[in-house]
Amino acid sequence: MKIWVDADACPTVIKDIIYRAAQRKQVHTYFVANQFLKVPPSPFLHTLKVSAGFDVADNEIVKRVEPSDLVITADIPLAAEVIEKGGQAINPRGETYTTETIKERLNIRDFMDTMRASGERTGGPPPLNQRDRHAFAASLDRVLQKA
């Protein structure tokens, strides 16, 4: 099992949780971004810099992910592709994407995109709070325990 992190938009507090979990469980973890990232020194933490562009990091993750891997992303279409390839996906708030829930999440995302395109102000997600951090850590631990 490997962990792939859609790192461009991943909050720092979530990255910190991932660093500690990867080291503790000795799981190779790849932070994929279109900019330079600094991670703590560890044989289990790796960065992969991709060129700038729309979905370049997502496409690289999809290309490399294997069925036993975990992807951490808030990007619903990326999560859908990962699940289609047999991987697992969770978001930084601890929500586990599954084959049962991903279609609904894609529909909601597409609906919100349509609303925004029509000029509707939908706002973004609320900032991460302590409960979100705990939910993410618990979800990550569950996945790592099963591996």
Side-chain angles (χ1 to χ4, degrees), residues 63-133:
K63 181 173 93 176
R64 293 174 181 248
V65 74
E66 297 175 359
S68 63
D69 292 350
L70 170 65
V71 173
I72 298 167
T73 184
D75 187 298
I76 309 274
L78 172 56
E81 288 187 76
V82 167
I83 290 169
E84 191 174 298
K85 285 190 76 174
Q88 301 175 75
I90 59 176
N91 73 19
R93 294 179 187 277
E95 179 184 357
T96 301
Y97 299 113
T98 66
T99 54
E100 293 80 27
T101 62
I102 198 66
K103 285 186 174 89
E104 177 184 347
R105 299 287 294 159
L106 279 168
N107 287 337
I108 291 170
R109 177 199 172 272
D110 292 344
F111 174 74
M112 296 305 284
D113 278 351
T114 301
M115 295 291 291
R116 283 188 289 274
S118 70
E120 186 73 27
R121 292 183 150 205
T122 60
L128 284 177
N129 59 37
Q130 192 66 27
R131 183 177 11 209
D132 295 326
R133 291 179 214 139

Side-chain angles (χ1 to χ4, degrees), residues 3 14 17-18 21-22 70 72 90 94 135-145:
I3 299 173
I14 299 303
I17 293 168
I18 297 166
L70 170 65
I72 298 167
I90 59 176
F136 174 78
S139 291
L140 181 57
D141 280 342
R142 275 192 300 277
V143 171
L144 294 175
Q145 289 295 346

